[in-house]
Amino acid sequence: MRHLPAIGLLVLAALPLTAQETRFTPALKAGDRLAISNINGSVTVTRASGSTAEVVVTKTVKKGDGNLVKAIMEEDAGVVRVCTIYLNRDPDRTTCAGRNSIERGKGKELEVEMRYDVRVPSGVVFEGGTVNGEMSVRGLDRPATVNTVNGSITFDGAGASELQTVNGAITASFDRTGWVGASTIRTVNGAITLTLPSDASLEVSGSTVSGGVTSDFNVTTSGRWGPKRFSGTIGGGGRSLEMETVNGAITIRKK
């Protein structure tokens, strides 16, 4: 039997994985909602130039049958959902509703990365998350909701209703503080760094277990400020902002 030389084996091992691209381009108007739900892979979000949203999903199959993992889109009364679904539990599944399985499918372990690149039109509300991957959201003009489990969050925009991860840092910058209701920024293992406009007016509170609390703003305290827990008013008060981490510092900066 003829054997490949060692150098040939190294070349074969170095061949790039095949990437497949799926593109969705729904038309959205101000006040509509775009919801993204991913499992394994990062999500990057920026502002679209027109009224058409664009969601480009790049699938890279590392192990197993890549046909068992796909991205689909649903539209319903001003809400567009794009999600990753796994078909190894339910091969006939066609909707975002249902339970995903990332265990074993047809005897083979699935390792499939789905990377989302999203462009959101002006005035559209973004809600998005992944399980294993970073979230980067920049340039949106409506308060957004951003979640991940294993990954950091980078946010720069009008404001956020919620920024939440478990294992990762959160670095955020808000252009204004005009969200509705409370804004929450929460992680477990990671620091929180938030930059606010110089004329910010908020009721602010939060806590950390292993880390300190610092602020560039003068804060009128209501109760205790630091080193582990804080509550007070920035400017004239008003909107509520809550920040919480376990292992990490909390820093509030002024633009």
Side-chain angles (χ1 to χ4, degrees), residues 88-218:
N88 51 328
R89 179 180 294 274
D90 179 5
D92 298 320
R93 181 178 173 185
T94 59
T95 70
C96 292
R99 183 179 177 185
N100 277 317
S101 173
I102 58 174
E103 298 171 356
R104 294 186 178 272
K106 297 185 177 180
K108 295 183 179 180
E109 185 178 356
L110 287 172
E111 290 185 16
V112 180
E113 180 186 61
M114 304 285 276
R115 189 180 74 247
Y116 279 64
D117 292 296
V118 184
R119 292 174 177 83
V120 180
S122 177
V124 171
V125 177
F126 174 79
E127 298 175 0
T130 187
V131 177
N132 300 307
E134 297 181 349
M135 295 287 301
S136 175
V137 181
R138 299 181 184 275
L140 304 190
D141 59 0
R142 293 288 299 274
T145 300
V146 181
N147 293 276
T148 184
V149 177
N150 298 308
S152 62
I153 294 175
T154 303
F155 183 92
D156 187 347
S161 299
E162 179 181 84
L163 303 176
Q164 182 166 300
T165 184
V166 175
N167 297 308
I170 299 176
T171 304
S173 178
F174 292 174
D175 295 335
R176 55 181 185 266
T177 55
W179 53 80
V180 176
S183 176
T184 60
I185 302 176
R186 186 175 292 116
T187 183
V188 176
N189 297 307
I192 295 174
T193 303
L194 174 63
T195 302
L196 296 170
S198 58
D199 60 352
S201 194
L202 294 167
E203 300 293 338
V204 61
S205 63
S207 65
T208 178
V209 175
S210 301
V213 177
T214 59
S215 173
D216 289 347
F217 290 88
N218 293 322

Side-chain angles (χ1 to χ4, degrees), residues 26 28 32-36 53-55 78-82 118-121 124-128:
L28 294 167
D32 286 349
R33 183 161 55 98
L34 176 61
I36 301 294
E54 184 178 48
V55 182
V79 179
V80 172
R81 298 180 181 87
V82 182
V118 184
R119 292 174 177 83
V120 180
V124 171
V125 177
F126 174 79
E127 298 175 0

Side-chain angles (χ1 to χ4, degrees), residues 24 67-75 81-100:
F24 305 97
N67 293 319
L68 294 174
V69 184
K70 63 188 296 188
I72 63 171
M73 184 178 78
E74 300 176 338
E75 297 182 78
R81 298 180 181 87
V82 182
C83 67
T84 298
I85 63 172
Y86 282 70
L87 303 177
N88 51 328
R89 179 180 294 274
D90 179 5
D92 298 320
R93 181 178 173 185
T94 59
T95 70
C96 292
R99 183 179 177 185
N100 277 317

